[in-house]
Amino acid sequence: MNIAVMPTPEGYLRWKDRSGRPFFTLAGFDSEGVRHTFDLDQLAQNLLYFSRPGMQNSVLGIAMDNAYRIHWRTMLGHAITRGLAPAGRARGRFARLLALILARPGLYREAIAEYNAANPLAPFTPMSWTDIQLRPPHFEAAAAVNISDADVLRAMIANGLPPEWVDHAYTFGVVYLETHFFEANASIDLYRDIDDERHRRLDRYGEPPAIPQWDGWRTPTSDDLIRLHALIEREEAHKQVYMGKGLYYPIGMNPNRRDLWQRLDMHGPPPPPPMDHPSAALSSTASTPPLGQASTSLANADTEMRVDLASELERPPSA
């Protein structure tokens, strides 16, 4: 099954309100409505246009490289987090905990095993493609600060998230960690502890496998590149300069790194990234102008305008 044509679920999220107006605009361009939670191609296109690394509403956990390709495994993690996080004050904390669960191999499968042991007459049942619906849990505002890993794992199990999807979304969790080491933040000790646990779990379980037909990078289409050129020009005109501020992966670097390349306290400055035939990976854009020519003037950024995944998830819930 092609990841870009996942089945449409009955219940889905939109980026437009009930009147059809988009929730936000940027540089004169409206964001287009996402048809449903798992329309990963449309989600990726919206991220390319309006939420690139370094932008004010960028999404931590998304791997985008210097050719503006987006890794499909991180898109599935984004869709799960976006669809399962509850509305209100609990949304940000829940989303962060979910991303950090995705980064720890085997944690979700352990929780399923514990659930099955405690509920032998009603064991865990994964959702099927014929009924893809995510039902976010409800938390009172006063309880938002007390949400724990256990609460998030219970919500994942209650929704029947297949463990294969969680394994596949491991890359989203890794990139989420990577970005927090790239940017200075007050919770760096927490992320060090999570990354240390990730290493121990990798030793025990190995790297979570991808779903092969959902793996790899989404290469921008010719239409994507034309619109992206126009957006970058409009951003420059409005003094909205983003290139060079966020974490972009070198072409050819695998985001599933055991040793995070931004965690300098562990291994020092990162070595040159391995190249896995980037010319072949970018063959579909060979007939379009190199984006580097359009964004050269964006290289010298002024001030960093980034927000956590939690802020991006504070948009209004589904219509």
Side-chain angles (χ1 to χ4, degrees):
M1 180 183 298
N2 190 313
I3 194 168
V5 290
M6 287 181 167
T8 305
E10 292 299 324
Y12 51 86
L13 302 181
R14 294 184 182 274
W15 280 14
K16 292 186 178 181
D17 62 21
R18 296 181 186 277
S19 67
R21 295 173 299 184
F23 287 139
F24 68 99
T25 61
L26 179 67
F29 288 86
D30 291 345
S31 67
E32 298 176 358
V34 176
R35 293 189 297 275
H36 55 81
T37 307
F38 288 97
D39 186 349
L40 301 190
D41 189 63
Q42 184 68 67
L43 279 171
Q45 190 177 65
N46 274 271
L47 291 174
L48 176 65
Y49 295 159
F50 305 107
S51 300
R52 300 186 300 279
M55 299 184 76
Q56 189 173 11
N57 59 322
S58 58
V59 180
L60 302 190
I62 295 297
M64 184 179 294
D65 70 11
N66 289 319
Y68 295 101
R69 301 183 305 169
I70 299 176
H71 205 281
W72 282 122
R73 291 184 71 171
T74 63
M75 285 307 307
L76 182 61
H78 171 50
I80 292 172
T81 305
R82 182 174 180 264
L84 194 57
R89 292 180 57 185
R91 192 168 179 81
R93 179 173 175 83
F94 186 99
R96 181 174 76 161
L97 291 174
L98 200 161
L100 296 179
I101 287 172
L102 296 178
R104 286 174 280 178
L107 183 58
Y108 182 53
R109 291 180 181 271
E110 290 173 357
I112 291 174
E114 292 179 5
Y115 174 85
N116 288 340
N119 300 274
L121 300 181
F124 169 78
T125 302
M127 72 170 69
S128 67
W129 279 115
T130 59
D131 185 26
I132 305 175
Q133 295 190 40
L134 294 182
R135 300 171 179 83
H138 173 73
F139 296 95
E140 297 295 337
V145 296
N146 297 318
I147 297 174
S148 66
D149 283 351
D151 296 316
V152 179
L153 288 165
R154 278 194 292 269
M156 295 168 71
I157 291 172
N159 276 271
L161 278 180
E164 294 81 8
W165 293 12
V166 174
D167 288 345
H168 187 79
Y170 164 73
T171 311
F172 179 85
V174 173
V175 177
Y176 186 84
L177 282 174
E178 193 85 80
T179 310
H180 280 93
F181 285 104
F182 173 74
E183 300 179 339
N185 64 84
S187 302
I188 194 65
D189 289 340
L190 165 67
Y191 299 116
R192 287 195 187 102
D193 290 343
I194 295 293
D195 191 42
D196 290 343
E197 181 184 347
R198 182 179 69 90
H199 277 79
R200 294 191 295 270
R201 289 179 169 276
L202 285 171
D203 291 337
R204 181 176 181 182
Y205 297 110
E207 182 178 307
I211 299 172
Q213 63 268 37
W214 299 357
D215 203 2
W217 296 83
R218 178 194 185 272
T219 301
T221 66
S222 297
D223 288 342
D224 286 339
L225 296 177
I226 292 170
R227 188 173 189 187
L228 186 56
H229 278 285
L231 282 166
I232 290 174
E233 290 179 358
R234 299 288 298 261
E235 291 161 6
E236 286 182 313
H238 287 74
K239 301 186 184 302
Q240 297 171 323
V241 182
Y242 306 110
M243 188 65 180
K245 296 179 180 180
L247 178 65
Y248 286 84
Y249 281 78
I251 298 172
M253 176 179 279
N254 181 359
N256 291 313
R257 298 177 63 88
R258 177 182 175 87
D259 295 332
L260 301 182
W261 64 300
Q262 294 297 326
R263 186 177 174 182
L264 304 185
D265 67 301
M266 176 173 287
H267 52 70
M275 302 299 290
D276 58 358
H277 307 291
S279 58
L282 296 176
S283 59
S284 64
T285 62
S287 61
T288 60
L291 274 174
Q293 295 178 3
S295 58
T296 300
S297 61
L298 302 180
N300 298 319
D302 295 328
T303 58
E304 183 149 3
M305 298 177 63
R306 290 298 307 273
V307 292
D308 200 298
L309 169 66
S311 299
E312 193 272 342
L313 289 169
E314 287 296 334
R315 294 190 182 123
S318 60

